[in-house]
């Protein structure tokens, strides 16, 4: 099977994203059939870190922002950082109030 140019990068990125999805699932302790509970701080941090890296790879590889200008890359990466910060803030606020 001959890969088209650029296909190798896409396949490697896809495999990395799938591996990080497994890391997120294991961190979220999806195997527990007991009642819902908040993730420990370390697990939540690992899920956010893996999700942020996955979103960054999607932006750079699949949306091809690695060849875009620095303003476009900065805008999208900044919005990604803001989104992750809002999620982390909501998680921390919920942990403090419970």
């Amino acid at each position: 099977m001959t890969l088209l140019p650029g296909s190798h990068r896409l396949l490697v990125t896809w495999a990395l994203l799938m591996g990080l999805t497994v890391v997120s699932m294991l961190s979220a302790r999806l195997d527990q059939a007991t009642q819902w509970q908040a993730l420990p701080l370390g697990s939540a941090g690992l899920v956010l870190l893996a999700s942020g890296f996955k979103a960054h790879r999607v932006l750079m590889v699949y949306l091809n922002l690695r060849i875009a200008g620095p303003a476009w890359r900065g805008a999208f990466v900044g919005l990604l950082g803001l989104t992750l910060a809002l999620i982390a803030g909501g998680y921390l606020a919920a942990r403090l109030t419970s």
Side-chain angles (χ1 to χ4, degrees), residues 24 26-30 37-45 47 91 95:
S24 295
L26 292 175
S27 295
R29 300 181 305 169
L30 292 179
Q37 56 183 335
L39 288 177
L41 190 57
S43 292
V47 168
Y91 174 80
R95 296 240 351 161

Side-chain angles (χ1 to χ4, degrees), residues 43-65:
S43 292
L46 185 60
V47 168
L48 277 177
L49 185 66
S51 299
F53 186 75
K54 286 170 58 175
H56 185 267
R57 295 311 315 152
V58 167
L59 288 174
M60 295 304 142
V61 175
Y62 289 102
L63 294 181
N64 212 16
L65 281 181

Side-chain angles (χ1 to χ4, degrees), residues 7-98:
S7 294
H8 183 261
R9 177 181 303 206
L10 293 174
L11 289 173
V12 168
T13 301
W14 175 81
L16 181 65
L17 294 176
M18 292 300 104
L20 288 170
T21 298
V22 171
V23 168
S24 295
M25 289 172 63
L26 292 175
S27 295
R29 300 181 305 169
L30 292 179
D31 60 331
Q32 292 185 352
T34 60
Q35 62 184 351
W36 289 89
Q37 56 183 335
L39 288 177
L41 190 57
S43 292
L46 185 60
V47 168
L48 277 177
L49 185 66
S51 299
F53 186 75
K54 286 170 58 175
H56 185 267
R57 295 311 315 152
V58 167
L59 288 174
M60 295 304 142
V61 175
Y62 289 102
L63 294 181
N64 212 16
L65 281 181
R66 66 184 182 281
I67 63 168
W72 280 108
R73 276 193 311 269
F76 277 95
V77 170
L79 287 172
L80 172 61
L82 178 63
T83 302
L84 291 173
L86 287 172
I87 293 169
Y91 174 80
L92 291 174
R95 296 240 351 161
L96 290 175
T97 58
S98 63

